[in-house]
Every structure is written in structure tokens, then in C-alpha cells.
Amino acid sequence: MPTLPWITPNPPPPAAADVHVFASRFETRTLWGALRFLVRTPGVWRQVSRAPGAYGATLKARPFRRTYWTLSAWESPQALKAFARSGAHGPTADGLAAQMRDAKFVTWTTSADSLPVDWDEALKRLA
């Protein structure tokens, strides 16, 4: 699966606004776990494409390497938390927790004029 392009679900923030960025890396224990992650991705992708407070999101998937990365920008940490606990994301995260071998999460703040966030920056922070 190739990298999903950056989507912008909501109007962009003002250029001077601070944006909350979230990046993650997930590695599953087994190929079966990676495939389960892949099957559940469309529901979560649909959710983020309509999420209040989301300024953008993208996903890298390497299912045969059992690894996935997410990168998103949010109006606030509260908007990200509301997304994570609702819709398809909440049950998907809970249902896949036992499949995870490793997961890493990073957050940082950037200015709205730096959107979309660069994958190189996110991967460096996740290293």
C-alpha cells in the first residue's frame, strides 16, 4: 500500500496559528496483525477525513514489513483526543492493541504555514 496523500478535512487554520502535530509508528507482532490493521484502516481514514479540528492527515503502510506510520495536524490536543476516543478509531485501537509489538508516538507544535507536515521531519522525530 503506498503512502496515502495528505488530506485536508477542514478549512486551513490562519497562517499564524499554532498547530498540534501527532505522529505515530506501529509495528505488529505478526503478518496477520498487520493485515488486520490494514483491513481496519479505511474506516479510520473516513473518520479522520471528517474529524472536527483536523487540519490534515496522511498514512504510510508497509503491511508486509508489519509497520504503519501516521502523521496528522490538529487544532488542539483536545481535538486529537476527541478523534482518538470516538468513531471507528476507538474500537479499532482497542481491538488491535494485542497485535502490537511496538508503538511510538510523538507530538509537537508548529505553525500553520508549515502545513502539510513533512514526512522526513516526522520520521526523524520517531527515530
Side-chain angles (χ1 to χ4, degrees), residues 33-58:
L35 295 175
R36 288 184 65 199
F37 194 110
L38 184 65
V39 166
R40 294 177 182 208
T41 296
V44 175
W45 192 248
R46 277 189 301 277
Q47 179 188 353
V48 78
S49 72
R50 299 185 295 263
Y55 289 140
T58 180

Side-chain angles (χ1 to χ4, degrees), residues 86-104:
S86 65
H89 187 278
T92 295
D94 292 343
L96 291 173
Q99 299 292 321
M100 293 301 137
R101 179 175 161 253
D102 188 33
K104 184 165 184 181

Side-chain angles (χ1 to χ4, degrees), residues 32-124:
W32 175 247
L35 295 175
R36 288 184 65 199
F37 194 110
L38 184 65
V39 166
R40 294 177 182 208
T41 296
V44 175
W45 192 248
R46 277 189 301 277
Q47 179 188 353
V48 78
S49 72
R50 299 185 295 263
Y55 289 140
T58 180
L59 169 84
K60 282 184 181 280
R62 301 295 183 266
F64 293 111
R65 292 187 188 169
R66 302 182 337 264
T67 307
Y68 294 83
W69 298 264
T70 70
L71 177 57
S72 56
W74 298 86
E75 177 180 64
S76 65
Q78 294 78 17
L80 171 60
K81 287 178 187 173
F83 162 78
R85 294 180 179 145
S86 65
H89 187 278
T92 295
D94 292 343
L96 291 173
Q99 299 292 321
M100 293 301 137
R101 179 175 161 253
D102 188 33
K104 184 165 184 181
F105 309 99
V106 295
T107 62
W108 69 96
T109 302
T110 192
S111 63
D113 60 356
S114 65
L115 296 179
V117 181
D118 183 59
W119 267 115
D120 290 338
E121 176 69 19
L123 295 174
K124 183 175 24 171

